[in-house]
Amino acid sequence: VTSPRAVRPYHHGDLRRALLAATLAELSASGPSRLSLREVARRAGVSHAAPRHHFGDKLGLLTAVAADGYRLLADATSRPAEASAPLEEVGLSYVAFALAHPGHFAVMFRPDLYNVSDPDLARERDRAASVLLAAVTADLGDDAAPDAAVAGLIAAWSITHGFATLWMTGNLSFADAADPQDLARSAFAALRRPPRRRAGAREL
Amino acid sequence: VTSPRAVRPYHHGDLRRALLAATLAELSASGPSRLSLREVARRAGVSHAAPRHHFGDKLGLLTAVAADGYRLLADATSRPAEASAPLEEVGLSYVAFALAHPGHFAVMFRPDLYNVSDPDLARERDRAASVLLAAVTADLGDDAAPDAAVAGLIAAWSITHGFATLWMTGNLSFADAADPQDLARSAFAALRRPPRRRAGAREL
DNA sequence: TGTACATCAGTGAACGCGCGTTCACTGATGTAC
DNA sequence: TGTACATCAGTGAACGCGCGTTCACTGATGTAC
């Protein structure tokens, strides 16, 4: 009351952004299972009823997180894609995104946690998908069949997503790698070889 | 009291197994976030305090689930591996395991949910890992460097695990495939090609 | 075959807790005049 | 420049709920003799 600097102002000013930041901090610390609106509000230093004004409810908050995540992912992957870098580089940028934004990553691929038909979210998700598809198509060459493009997209997405997931859950600690990007690079390279024929092995 | 068949017997007989089954049903229905001991007990038709005798607490229950899962995974992947089938077949058996046991799969790769140093669990997990490593080593040939084996293992594990995860979270529905195994097969095949050189693209 | 007794397996009431959501409210801001 | 008023943003108390865990208990089983 006496010193205006000492009291917290009634209006936060940028609470929506602050709540999102608190949510992401919570998510990367404890994962989506343990996330609670009250803890988020506590972290942001506001009343536990405050998030309601900005996100409606818990689903709304996580929908905003997911939409934000897809926006960041599309941005991150389109950088190498637009520079016509090899497909591997696009994959590495995907891995880099996951490592840099574990909170987003933990929510984005759990559609049960948010409103999948949110327009903003759907737009960014489709944008991210089309960046990846374009990179795969470019890798295959323009004469590739659509079936091959789908198979290639799924293959590229699987290895990239799988690596990111396994690394982040601590399942690759046996490799004892200092830099996950280096490890991903060597793993991506390892798969670009034709299968070895073995005596007695039946072919697919 | 009058009719012995009409009353539930005080002793269940095989409650440990029944609780595990109820847990897996719950897990594949709602995922690990929503799992509650009380709901598991309800599903098994026993008092909510009954699980205590068999698993101690919630962590104990999920540790048993994870150990069971690694046992099943090691069994499933060692079948094609021991028959000297191509690496792809080992990957497909991994995918088949995930699809057949979504409850186990949802827990196994979330080490925060269970006791990672449980001896039984550690044994089965290591067994599953060594099956996969042996399959990769066989695929590479005996003259391969250890580094290459690690890279190959991570690559194979990533694409396999990534595919299973993406499929099960509904992220591959765009491919509109009736059989995930067929889709996985085509994706695995797609990655066994050398990268295409493109004009203006810098190499890795 | 019977009996005593230890052990095991499951019960049901009770505990304290944190949660999401609702609600009437109040402080602050912006706009019309 | 001032004033009235609508709107916005955040508060804090309260609600009902399901949860994990504890506890003294009881029914059932198995074993020793």
mmCIF file of all heavy atoms in Angstrom, chain A residues 161-189:
data_model
loop_
_atom_site.group_PDB
_atom_site.id
_atom_site.type_symbol
_atom_site.label_atom_id
_atom_site.label_comp_id
_atom_site.label_asym_id
_atom_site.label_seq_id
_atom_site.Cartn_x
_atom_site.Cartn_y
_atom_site.Cartn_z
ATOM 1 N N HIS A 161 10.894 -40.025 -34.149
ATOM 2 C CA HIS A 161 10.075 -39.960 -32.947
ATOM 3 C C HIS A 161 10.515 -41.012 -31.932
ATOM 4 O O HIS A 161 10.580 -40.746 -30.732
ATOM 5 C CB HIS A 161 8.608 -40.163 -33.317
ATOM 6 C CG HIS A 161 7.668 -39.931 -32.183
ATOM 7 N ND1 HIS A 161 7.223 -38.683 -31.828
ATOM 8 C CD2 HIS A 161 7.110 -40.795 -31.292
ATOM 9 C CE1 HIS A 161 6.431 -38.782 -30.783
ATOM 10 N NE2 HIS A 161 6.344 -40.053 -30.430
ATOM 11 N N GLY A 162 10.825 -42.191 -32.439
ATOM 12 C CA GLY A 162 11.273 -43.258 -31.552
ATOM 13 C C GLY A 162 12.559 -42.890 -30.842
ATOM 14 O O GLY A 162 12.686 -43.072 -29.626
ATOM 15 N N PHE A 163 13.497 -42.341 -31.582
ATOM 16 C CA PHE A 163 14.748 -41.949 -30.950
ATOM 17 C C PHE A 163 14.504 -40.905 -29.870
ATOM 18 O O PHE A 163 15.005 -41.020 -28.737
ATOM 19 C CB PHE A 163 15.738 -41.390 -31.982
ATOM 20 C CG PHE A 163 17.039 -40.977 -31.351
ATOM 21 C CD1 PHE A 163 18.064 -41.905 -31.185
ATOM 22 C CD2 PHE A 163 17.229 -39.688 -30.869
ATOM 23 C CE1 PHE A 163 19.247 -41.548 -30.563
ATOM 24 C CE2 PHE A 163 18.408 -39.319 -30.243
ATOM 25 C CZ PHE A 163 19.414 -40.251 -30.091
ATOM 26 N N ALA A 164 13.743 -39.888 -30.216
ATOM 27 C CA ALA A 164 13.475 -38.817 -29.249
ATOM 28 C C ALA A 164 12.804 -39.373 -27.994
ATOM 29 O O ALA A 164 13.189 -39.039 -26.865
ATOM 30 C CB ALA A 164 12.605 -37.742 -29.889
ATOM 31 N N THR A 165 11.825 -40.230 -28.187
ATOM 32 C CA THR A 165 11.101 -40.801 -27.055
ATOM 33 C C THR A 165 12.007 -41.649 -26.177
ATOM 34 O O THR A 165 12.023 -41.504 -24.957
ATOM 35 C CB THR A 165 9.928 -41.675 -27.566
ATOM 36 O OG1 THR A 165 9.096 -40.890 -28.422
ATOM 37 C CG2 THR A 165 9.113 -42.213 -26.413
ATOM 38 N N LEU A 166 12.757 -42.538 -26.825
ATOM 39 C CA LEU A 166 13.626 -43.430 -26.058
ATOM 40 C C LEU A 166 14.700 -42.647 -25.311
ATOM 41 O O LEU A 166 15.015 -42.941 -24.157
ATOM 42 C CB LEU A 166 14.270 -44.466 -26.987
ATOM 43 C CG LEU A 166 13.323 -45.545 -27.530
ATOM 44 C CD1 LEU A 166 14.033 -46.406 -28.569
ATOM 45 C CD2 LEU A 166 12.781 -46.413 -26.397
ATOM 46 N N TRP A 167 15.247 -41.650 -25.970
ATOM 47 C CA TRP A 167 16.264 -40.846 -25.295
ATOM 48 C C TRP A 167 15.687 -40.141 -24.078
ATOM 49 O O TRP A 167 16.230 -40.166 -22.982
ATOM 50 C CB TRP A 167 16.882 -39.815 -26.245
ATOM 51 C CG TRP A 167 17.857 -38.928 -25.536
ATOM 52 C CD1 TRP A 167 17.606 -37.760 -24.887
ATOM 53 C CD2 TRP A 167 19.259 -39.180 -25.358
ATOM 54 N NE1 TRP A 167 18.746 -37.258 -24.326
ATOM 55 C CE2 TRP A 167 19.775 -38.102 -24.591
ATOM 56 C CE3 TRP A 167 20.129 -40.192 -25.781
ATOM 57 C CZ2 TRP A 167 21.125 -38.028 -24.247
ATOM 58 C CZ3 TRP A 167 21.474 -40.104 -25.422
ATOM 59 C CH2 TRP A 167 21.948 -39.041 -24.667
ATOM 60 N N MET A 168 14.530 -39.519 -24.276
ATOM 61 C CA MET A 168 13.958 -38.702 -23.210
ATOM 62 C C MET A 168 13.443 -39.524 -22.046
ATOM 63 O O MET A 168 13.354 -39.029 -20.928
ATOM 64 C CB MET A 168 12.859 -37.818 -23.773
ATOM 65 C CG MET A 168 13.428 -36.769 -24.709
ATOM 66 S SD MET A 168 12.146 -35.781 -25.437
ATOM 67 C CE MET A 168 11.579 -34.890 -24.005
ATOM 68 N N THR A 169 13.098 -40.770 -22.291
ATOM 69 C CA THR A 169 12.668 -41.623 -21.185
ATOM 70 C C THR A 169 13.844 -42.334 -20.530
ATOM 71 O O THR A 169 13.653 -43.155 -19.644
ATOM 72 C CB THR A 169 11.645 -42.670 -21.663
ATOM 73 O OG1 THR A 169 12.172 -43.350 -22.815
ATOM 74 C CG2 THR A 169 10.328 -42.025 -22.033
ATOM 75 N N GLY A 170 15.068 -42.003 -20.994
ATOM 76 C CA GLY A 170 16.242 -42.561 -20.346
ATOM 77 C C GLY A 170 16.588 -43.965 -20.800
ATOM 78 O O GLY A 170 17.450 -44.620 -20.214
ATOM 79 N N ASN A 171 15.943 -44.427 -21.875
ATOM 80 C CA ASN A 171 16.166 -45.804 -22.299
ATOM 81 C C ASN A 171 17.427 -45.986 -23.144
ATOM 82 O O ASN A 171 17.782 -47.109 -23.484
ATOM 83 C CB ASN A 171 14.943 -46.310 -23.070
ATOM 84 C CG ASN A 171 13.814 -46.700 -22.138
ATOM 85 O OD1 ASN A 171 13.904 -47.695 -21.448
ATOM 86 N ND2 ASN A 171 12.785 -45.878 -22.079
ATOM 87 N N LEU A 172 18.081 -44.876 -23.504
ATOM 88 C CA LEU A 172 19.298 -45.000 -24.306
ATOM 89 C C LEU A 172 20.551 -44.695 -23.491
ATOM 90 O O LEU A 172 21.623 -44.472 -24.045
ATOM 91 C CB LEU A 172 19.222 -44.075 -25.526
ATOM 92 C CG LEU A 172 18.051 -44.341 -26.478
ATOM 93 C CD1 LEU A 172 18.129 -43.433 -27.695
ATOM 94 C CD2 LEU A 172 18.041 -45.796 -26.914
ATOM 95 N N SER A 173 20.401 -44.684 -22.189
ATOM 96 C CA SER A 173 21.547 -44.311 -21.363
ATOM 97 C C SER A 173 22.693 -45.307 -21.509
ATOM 98 O O SER A 173 23.849 -44.964 -21.283
ATOM 99 C CB SER A 173 21.120 -44.198 -19.901
ATOM 100 O OG SER A 173 20.494 -45.396 -19.501
ATOM 101 N N PHE A 174 22.384 -46.543 -21.922
ATOM 102 C CA PHE A 174 23.438 -47.542 -22.099
ATOM 103 C C PHE A 174 24.453 -47.101 -23.147
ATOM 104 O O PHE A 174 25.614 -47.510 -23.115
ATOM 105 C CB PHE A 174 22.838 -48.887 -22.497
ATOM 106 C CG PHE A 174 22.275 -48.915 -23.885
ATOM 107 C CD1 PHE A 174 23.078 -49.242 -24.962
ATOM 108 C CD2 PHE A 174 20.949 -48.589 -24.114
ATOM 109 C CE1 PHE A 174 22.563 -49.267 -26.254
ATOM 110 C CE2 PHE A 174 20.431 -48.600 -25.394
ATOM 111 C CZ PHE A 174 21.237 -48.935 -26.467
ATOM 112 N N ALA A 175 24.021 -46.275 -24.100
ATOM 113 C CA ALA A 175 24.929 -45.850 -25.180
ATOM 114 C C ALA A 175 25.969 -44.865 -24.660
ATOM 115 O O ALA A 175 26.996 -44.647 -25.302
ATOM 116 C CB ALA A 175 24.141 -45.229 -26.321
ATOM 117 N N ASP A 176 25.667 -44.246 -23.514
ATOM 118 C CA ASP A 176 26.646 -43.408 -22.853
ATOM 119 C C ASP A 176 27.133 -42.271 -23.753
ATOM 120 O O ASP A 176 28.323 -41.973 -23.819
ATOM 121 C CB ASP A 176 27.846 -44.269 -22.419
ATOM 122 C CG ASP A 176 28.578 -43.622 -21.260
ATOM 123 O OD1 ASP A 176 27.933 -42.876 -20.510
ATOM 124 O OD2 ASP A 176 29.789 -43.862 -21.123
ATOM 125 N N ALA A 177 26.217 -41.668 -24.469
ATOM 126 C CA ALA A 177 26.573 -40.602 -25.402
ATOM 127 C C ALA A 177 26.429 -39.245 -24.735
ATOM 128 O O ALA A 177 25.470 -38.998 -24.005
ATOM 129 C CB ALA A 177 25.679 -40.664 -26.635
ATOM 130 N N ALA A 178 27.390 -38.389 -24.974
ATOM 131 C CA ALA A 178 27.330 -37.042 -24.418
ATOM 132 C C ALA A 178 26.277 -36.225 -25.157
ATOM 133 O O ALA A 178 25.478 -35.520 -24.547
ATOM 134 C CB ALA A 178 28.700 -36.370 -24.523
ATOM 135 N N ASP A 179 26.250 -36.358 -26.468
ATOM 136 C CA ASP A 179 25.353 -35.538 -27.277
ATOM 137 C C ASP A 179 24.338 -36.407 -28.010
ATOM 138 O O ASP A 179 24.693 -37.189 -28.901
ATOM 139 C CB ASP A 179 26.187 -34.742 -28.296
ATOM 140 C CG ASP A 179 25.301 -33.809 -29.115
ATOM 141 O OD1 ASP A 179 24.094 -33.693 -28.789
ATOM 142 O OD2 ASP A 179 25.812 -33.209 -30.072
ATOM 143 N N PRO A 180 23.077 -36.280 -27.647
ATOM 144 C CA PRO A 180 22.046 -37.080 -28.304
ATOM 145 C C PRO A 180 21.983 -36.840 -29.810
ATOM 146 O O PRO A 180 21.644 -37.761 -30.565
ATOM 147 C CB PRO A 180 20.751 -36.622 -27.624
ATOM 148 C CG PRO A 180 21.082 -35.367 -26.919
ATOM 149 C CD PRO A 180 22.528 -35.440 -26.579
ATOM 150 N N GLN A 181 22.336 -35.631 -30.225
ATOM 151 C CA GLN A 181 22.287 -35.338 -31.657
ATOM 152 C C GLN A 181 23.296 -36.201 -32.424
ATOM 153 O O GLN A 181 22.998 -36.711 -33.502
ATOM 154 C CB GLN A 181 22.595 -33.858 -31.911
ATOM 155 C CG GLN A 181 21.579 -32.905 -31.314
ATOM 156 C CD GLN A 181 20.344 -32.723 -32.201
ATOM 157 O OE1 GLN A 181 19.865 -33.659 -32.806
ATOM 158 N NE2 GLN A 181 19.854 -31.501 -32.259
ATOM 159 N N ASP A 182 24.484 -36.358 -31.851
ATOM 160 C CA ASP A 182 25.488 -37.208 -32.499
ATOM 161 C C ASP A 182 25.007 -38.646 -32.582
ATOM 162 O O ASP A 182 25.181 -39.321 -33.603
ATOM 163 C CB ASP A 182 26.818 -37.164 -31.721
ATOM 164 C CG ASP A 182 27.523 -35.826 -31.890
ATOM 165 O OD1 ASP A 182 27.138 -35.068 -32.821
ATOM 166 O OD2 ASP A 182 28.435 -35.540 -31.103
ATOM 167 N N LEU A 183 24.420 -39.086 -31.483
ATOM 168 C CA LEU A 183 23.917 -40.452 -31.435
ATOM 169 C C LEU A 183 22.810 -40.659 -32.479
ATOM 170 O O LEU A 183 22.784 -41.666 -33.188
ATOM 171 C CB LEU A 183 23.392 -40.752 -30.029
ATOM 172 C CG LEU A 183 23.183 -42.222 -29.669
ATOM 173 C CD1 LEU A 183 24.488 -42.984 -29.758
ATOM 174 C CD2 LEU A 183 22.586 -42.351 -28.277
ATOM 175 N N ALA A 184 21.927 -39.691 -32.567
ATOM 176 C CA ALA A 184 20.843 -39.771 -33.553
ATOM 177 C C ALA A 184 21.419 -39.799 -34.964
ATOM 178 O O ALA A 184 20.973 -40.573 -35.813
ATOM 179 C CB ALA A 184 19.895 -38.590 -33.384
ATOM 180 N N ARG A 185 22.415 -38.976 -35.183
ATOM 181 C CA ARG A 185 23.035 -38.927 -36.500
ATOM 182 C C ARG A 185 23.590 -40.298 -36.903
ATOM 183 O O ARG A 185 23.363 -40.776 -38.021
ATOM 184 C CB ARG A 185 24.161 -37.889 -36.486
ATOM 185 C CG ARG A 185 24.529 -37.299 -37.822
ATOM 186 C CD ARG A 185 25.671 -36.304 -37.671
ATOM 187 N NE ARG A 185 25.297 -35.091 -36.940
ATOM 188 C CZ ARG A 185 24.837 -33.974 -37.542
ATOM 189 N NH1 ARG A 185 24.707 -33.943 -38.843
ATOM 190 N NH2 ARG A 185 24.519 -32.914 -36.821
ATOM 191 N N SER A 186 24.277 -40.936 -35.970
ATOM 192 C CA SER A 186 24.859 -42.241 -36.307
ATOM 193 C C SER A 186 23.770 -43.298 -36.477
ATOM 194 O O SER A 186 23.891 -44.202 -37.311
ATOM 195 C CB SER A 186 25.867 -42.665 -35.237
ATOM 196 O OG SER A 186 25.206 -42.971 -34.023
ATOM 197 N N ALA A 187 22.700 -43.179 -35.692
ATOM 198 C CA ALA A 187 21.598 -44.138 -35.828
ATOM 199 C C ALA A 187 20.905 -43.963 -37.178
ATOM 200 O O ALA A 187 20.594 -44.940 -37.864
ATOM 201 C CB ALA A 187 20.600 -43.963 -34.692
ATOM 202 N N PHE A 188 20.677 -42.704 -37.582
ATOM 203 C CA PHE A 188 20.030 -42.445 -38.868
ATOM 204 C C PHE A 188 20.882 -43.026 -40.002
ATOM 205 O O PHE A 188 20.364 -43.636 -40.933
ATOM 206 C CB PHE A 188 19.833 -40.951 -39.092
ATOM 207 C CG PHE A 188 18.808 -40.329 -38.178
ATOM 208 C CD1 PHE A 188 18.588 -38.956 -38.177
ATOM 209 C CD2 PHE A 188 18.053 -41.119 -37.307
ATOM 210 C CE1 PHE A 188 17.640 -38.385 -37.343
ATOM 211 C CE2 PHE A 188 17.108 -40.554 -36.466
ATOM 212 C CZ PHE A 188 16.901 -39.178 -36.477
ATOM 213 N N ALA A 189 22.196 -42.826 -39.890
ATOM 214 C CA ALA A 189 23.091 -43.322 -40.935
ATOM 215 C C ALA A 189 23.071 -44.849 -40.997
ATOM 216 O O ALA A 189 23.137 -45.443 -42.080
ATOM 217 C CB ALA A 189 24.508 -42.823 -40.678
#
